[in-house]
Amino acid sequence: MDQVTELFGQNVFDEETMRERLPKDTFRELQKTTQEGKPLNIKIANAVAHAMKSWALEKGATHYTHWFQPMTGVTAEKHDGFINPDGNGKIIMSFSGKELIKGEPDASSFPSGGLRATFEARGYTAWDPTSPAFIKNGVLCIPTAFCSYSGHALDKKTPLLRSMEAINKQAMRILKLFGNEDVKTVNTTVGPEQEYFLIDKEYYSQRKDLQYTGRTLFGAPTPKGQEMEDHYFGTIKSRVQAFMNDLNRELWKLGILAKTEHNEVAPAQFELAPVFTTTNMAVDHNQLTMEIIQRVAKKHGLVALLHEKPFEGINGSGKHNNWSLSTDTGVNLLEPGDTPFENAQFLLFLAAVIKAVDEHQDLLRLSVATAGNDHRLGANEAPPAIISIFLGEELAEVIDALESESPYGGHDKEFMKIGASVLPKFPKDSTDRNRTSPFAFTGNKFEFRMPGSNLSVSSPNIMLNAAVADVLQEFADALEGEEDLYEAVHDLVKNTIHDHKRIIFNGNGYDDAWIEEAESRGLLNLKTTPDALPYSILDKNVELLERQHVLSRDETLSRYEIMMDEYVKTLNIEAQTMSDMAKKEILPAVSAFTGELSDTILAKTAVSQSIPVDYELSTLETASLLLTEATHALQALDASIAEMHALEGFEDKAFYVRDALIPAMDALRAPCDKLETIVSDTAWPFPTYGKLLFGII
């Protein structure tokens, strides 16, 4: 392997490359844009475009693209060549500042949620200089924002950048109160852990459900699942390790800080975790990571499944969003330090997060609401659908002392005692990890554990940034002008904790008693996507996003329509896939199997009435009854699909899907999965869970 230090970032037009290739004055002006938000003039853009083109050509690129993130949840790109005629029958390779700054893709086919008519095609991409350009598959990719002709955001990047500006503005006001005059900017940072499954490509190609929906719509449990807990952190198989090695190389070339890799809980499940970086780049990097995981897997004869719940009865996959606040001077604002009780600045930011999560628990919940994630949340593998905050023992004692005005004795650093003198001693962390908590403090960051593995992490970070920014604004308004800042901070933190402590829960989120307790506390339990998404258009939430200049009212309403419509479309594809598989594969296979049983019974009894046919008769009777049940369930599912299509509004369709279509799908799956357990392997029409989960050798 090449030296990682030489490999890392080789396909990125990063700060070091720009420093080498741009005139000093140009580089300084560009830094003012990326670091301080200063406007970028066309002269600077032309210089950057020329240097970027020369670098890309040296790397073998022939085309460039404005790489953007529409509301489809995946990335989009339209490739343009550097080639242009020179007027003499030859060509030149050119790329201007105007082409760098602005692109004009056809926007008509991207989701707009009613912001534009289908025939209105004009849309614009605008260069995001805060995320470096890179080369992927021989194409220069320029990260961009995407908006309509009327200026409405049609993507996930634009509101994310707006939310980062909002929290920077309000956090800076707080820091100035504490005398942090050296700080110029505050950034949110994120490290999104990525879980995924790997299965053999041969088995994938034999299952329509995996190809069309990304998850198995049928499948009986295997004799062995994950109950032995032997896959988690187990030895990585050679074939998977080879894939991971190639994956790391490709990610490192793109400057993605892939650091941790391991087997996850379920068979065939794995995780990759990066080092923290600025939220905007973390989102871009995670979108690239998902794409590259899938591309590299194919080179190894594998298929990567990023669906939140590919297999029934097996742990699903999440994407833990590790979120924090950091200054440009390197200070983590969520780092308690050795004496968190005395750290007024930390406690103020902590109180802001507590208040934001409590007041806007609905926004956080709906930011992770998808059809796929509905299968995962609330099971013994992911947090419940109820938002709560885990702080850990020490911080809980600190805030209790603050609220009650009682003395806090503090904790001496406690060393772990692990029972063998040869083992090193090391200090315990101030908090344990709570894997059942959806929003857990883990030492110097909050781990938002609810996002699903297939989700763009822009959505949860947009809502989290906006909510915290709004509270910080409220805090700054209250504290600016106070004569005794620390007394005012003390009172503000104390009152905030008193008013919002209902959101703090350090117990077991899987315990049924917690559901009752959460209800008594007034916390929301939004179990499904149609339950959660309507909260996005409540006046309080629309006004919050407008107040922080993150989303306009029209943009918020459009996203509500887009996400509800996406939910309906997802389940419609799944339902029609189930119907197709049942009609063309499962029922014909079972019919043929029962026919063979009948023929066997007739053949045996023709030889002699005394020959036992117990197995054949018993299996034939059971299979025939289940076949009848499946046939009726299939007819009911088809009727539900037709009824759903007959409905007009996207809201009516979404609630019908939740209340009628999904139960109809479950009713078809139940007898089909039972049939799988009695039909012979040779007769069953597609690979079973055993082959899918244990097929990588």
Side-chain angles (χ1 to χ4, degrees):
M1 174 181 283
D2 299 338
Q3 287 290 329
V4 175
T5 52
E6 297 175 7
L7 192 71
F8 189 82
Q10 68 175 222
N11 288 341
V12 184
F13 194 69
D14 55 15
E15 184 173 314
E16 181 181 349
T17 304
M18 288 188 285
R19 189 189 302 273
E20 292 174 357
R21 291 176 174 266
L22 292 173
K24 290 182 179 179
D25 290 346
T26 302
F27 178 73
R28 281 197 294 268
E29 289 299 314
L30 183 61
Q31 277 194 310
K32 290 179 182 178
T33 297
T34 58
Q35 297 176 8
E36 302 174 27
K38 302 290 184 183
L40 184 73
N41 65 52
I42 190 64
K43 182 179 178 182
I44 300 299
N46 280 328
V48 174
H50 176 75
M52 196 180 286
K53 177 206 69 178
S54 299
W55 172 80
L57 292 174
E58 290 172 15
K59 294 282 186 179
T62 58
H63 288 67
Y64 69 91
T65 182
H66 277 199
W67 183 79
F68 59 104
Q69 299 169 39
M71 292 299 295
T72 56
V74 294
T75 58
E77 51 195 66
K78 180 186 77 171
H79 300 175
D80 286 300
F82 291 118
I83 185 173
N84 277 295
D86 69 352
N88 297 310
K90 302 293 184 181
I91 57 100
I92 57 173
M93 305 296 273
S94 64
F95 183 52
S96 68
K98 182 179 178 181
E99 291 170 315
L100 169 64
I101 290 174
K102 188 186 81 171
E104 189 181 335
D106 184 334
S108 61
S109 296
F110 290 109
S112 69
L115 285 176
R116 57 193 295 107
T118 303
F119 63 83
E120 294 174 319
R122 193 182 297 275
Y124 297 108
T125 49
W127 176 38
D128 171 18
T130 65
S131 186
F134 55 91
I135 292 175
K136 176 171 67 77
N137 294 336
V139 177
L140 174 66
C141 298
I142 302 158
T144 53
F146 178 47
C147 66
S148 70
Y149 181 74
S150 57
H152 290 110
L154 296 176
D155 67 342
K156 295 176 180 288
K157 177 180 281 279
T158 303
L160 179 67
L161 292 172
R162 293 172 182 169
S163 75
M164 292 172 67
E165 288 185 5
I167 202 167
N168 171 59
K169 178 180 178 181
Q170 304 306 332
M172 286 296 297
R173 292 176 65 192
I174 298 293
L175 291 182
K176 295 302 181 187
L177 292 172
F178 286 96
N180 297 281
E181 298 298 331
D182 56 333
V183 177
K184 298 294 187 293
T185 57
V186 174
N187 283 312
T188 54
T189 59
V190 167
E193 303 168 24
Q194 180 69 55
E195 295 177 345
Y196 58 95
F197 282 83
L198 291 175
I199 62 172
D200 194 284
K201 188 177 180 182
E202 178 186 353
Y203 299 141
Y204 171 86
S205 66
Q206 298 175 51
R207 294 206 51 138
K208 292 179 183 177
D209 49 4
L210 287 176
Q211 294 178 54
Y212 297 159
T213 74
R215 77 180 184 99
T216 55
L217 301 173
F218 300 99
T222 57
K224 178 186 176 184
Q226 62 189 54
E227 65 274 9
M228 297 302 293
E229 300 171 335
D230 53 346
H231 189 259
Y232 190 51
F233 280 24
T235 302
I236 299 173
K237 293 180 179 178
S238 298
R239 188 177 176 191
V240 175
Q241 187 65 69
F243 152 78
M244 288 180 171
N245 291 343
D246 283 353
L247 174 62
N248 286 331
R249 285 172 58 86
E250 294 304 313
L251 295 176
W252 291 337
K253 287 177 186 177
L254 290 170
I256 297 172
L257 292 159
K259 185 175 179 66
T260 303
E261 60 191 26
H262 62 83
N263 290 356
E264 254 299 335
V265 173
Q269 187 184 32
F270 308 92
E271 181 178 301
L272 179 151
V275 178
F276 284 64
T277 190
T278 304
T279 302
N280 178 33
M281 288 182 60
V283 170
D284 287 357
H285 284 176
N286 186 249
Q287 291 295 116
L288 281 170
T289 296
M290 290 191 287
E291 176 188 337
I292 294 168
I293 284 174
Q294 293 175 309
R295 176 151 42 90
V296 173
K298 290 178 182 178
K299 293 181 179 179
H300 290 263
L302 303 168
V303 172
L305 303 178
L306 298 176
H307 195 282
E308 295 85 350
K309 189 75 170 180
F311 303 101
E312 185 74 20
I314 294 292
N315 272 19
S317 295
K319 184 181 296 183
H320 303 163
N321 190 86
N322 295 283
W323 179 91
S324 193
L325 283 164
S326 297
T327 70
D328 60 330
T329 57
V331 176
N332 184 336
L333 298 176
L334 294 180
E335 176 65 63
D338 292 331
T339 55
F341 184 77
E342 297 174 358
N343 191 334
Q345 182 175 283
F346 162 73
L347 288 171
L348 188 63
F349 278 102
L350 177 67
V353 175
I354 292 171
K355 178 179 171 68
V357 173
D358 183 35
E359 290 186 341
H360 301 291
Q361 51 187 281
D362 49 358
L363 283 180
L364 289 185
R365 171 63 184 94
L366 69 88
S367 74
V368 300
T370 65
N373 217 20
D374 284 356
H375 296 288
R376 172 179 163 267
L377 293 178
N380 285 346
E381 63 196 73
I386 305 165
I387 298 285
S388 64
I389 296 177
F390 168 83
L391 291 181
E393 180 182 352
E394 184 174 0
L395 273 183
E397 290 178 7
V398 168
I399 64 172
D400 285 347
L402 274 168
E403 183 193 6
S404 62
E405 297 279 9
S406 59
Y408 172 70
H411 281 257
D412 293 330
K413 277 292 182 183
E414 183 180 350
F415 280 80
M416 291 290 291
K417 299 176 182 178
I418 45 183
S421 59
V422 297
L423 297 177
K425 295 179 181 178
F426 54 90
K428 290 177 67 172
D429 291 315
S430 60
T431 68
D432 196 356
R433 285 181 178 266
N434 188 328
R435 297 184 64 81
T436 71
S437 174
F439 201 82
F441 186 72
T442 56
N444 59 4
K445 63 186 184 298
F446 281 96
E447 184 179 30
F448 188 27
R449 297 175 52 84
M450 294 181 79
S453 54
N454 204 30
L455 186 76
S456 165
V457 287
S458 61
S459 297
N461 286 294
I462 288 167
M463 298 308 179
L464 183 55
N465 290 349
V468 174
D470 206 56
V471 175
L472 290 176
Q473 179 177 352
E474 181 184 326
F475 282 6
D477 290 345
L479 294 173
E480 286 172 347
E482 286 285 346
E483 292 185 7
D484 189 334
L485 174 65
Y486 286 91
E487 185 65 27
V489 167
H490 175 274
D491 292 343
L492 181 56
V493 171
K494 172 188 171 183
N495 293 333
T496 300
I497 291 167
H498 178 270
D499 294 342
H500 299 283
K501 64 182 179 182
R502 66 171 185 168
I503 199 71
I504 299 170
F505 177 65
N506 290 325
N508 181 7
Y510 294 158
D511 194 330
D512 290 340
W514 166 233
I515 297 175
E516 296 181 14
E517 183 181 339
E519 184 178 358
S520 69
R521 293 187 185 193
L523 302 181
L524 296 171
N525 186 7
L526 306 175
K527 296 180 180 179
T528 70
T529 294
D531 294 328
L533 290 181
Y535 282 81
S536 66
I537 56 174
L538 293 182
D539 284 343
K540 77 175 185 72
N541 291 329
V542 174
E543 290 165 5
L544 160 69
L545 296 171
E546 281 192 311
R547 187 164 56 245
Q548 294 305 322
H549 307 290
V550 172
L551 288 169
S552 69
R553 178 174 291 270
D554 286 344
E555 288 169 337
T556 298
L557 295 176
S558 76
R559 281 156 203 266
Y560 169 58
E561 180 176 334
I562 288 169
M563 290 187 290
M564 288 284 269
D565 189 50
E566 179 184 280
Y567 174 80
V568 172
K569 289 176 178 177
T570 298
L571 269 300
N572 176 57
I573 292 170
E574 290 187 357
Q576 296 201 91
T577 301
M578 284 192 82
S579 175
D580 186 73
M581 292 176 71
K583 287 175 185 172
K584 297 179 181 178
E585 297 183 82
I586 296 175
L587 300 191
V590 176
S591 179
F593 177 69
T594 55
E596 291 176 5
L597 288 173
S598 298
D599 291 343
T600 301
I601 292 169
L602 291 173
K604 285 186 175 182
T605 55
V607 173
S608 171
Q609 291 292 325
S610 63
I611 297 177
V613 287
D614 299 53
Y615 159 73
E616 290 85 353
L617 283 171
S618 174
T619 305
L620 177 60
E621 181 180 5
T622 303
S624 297
L625 289 171
L626 289 171
L627 184 60
T628 300
E629 182 183 344
T631 301
H632 293 161
L634 173 59
Q635 293 167 349
L637 176 60
D638 285 342
S640 293
I641 294 171
E643 190 168 345
M644 185 267 289
H645 285 166
L647 297 172
E648 292 294 332
F650 66 88
E651 290 174 315
D652 289 342
K653 287 184 176 181
F655 290 114
Y656 181 84
V657 164
R658 180 195 66 184
D659 297 334
L661 188 64
I662 291 176
M665 293 168 65
D666 293 340
L668 175 58
R669 176 167 187 161
C672 290
D673 285 357
K674 291 177 183 176
L675 281 165
E676 183 188 315
T677 66
I678 62 173
V679 173
S680 67
D681 281 349
T682 55
W684 196 249
F686 41 75
T688 62
Y689 274 18
K691 291 181 178 179
L692 294 172
L693 292 169
F694 297 96
I696 300 176
I697 56 175

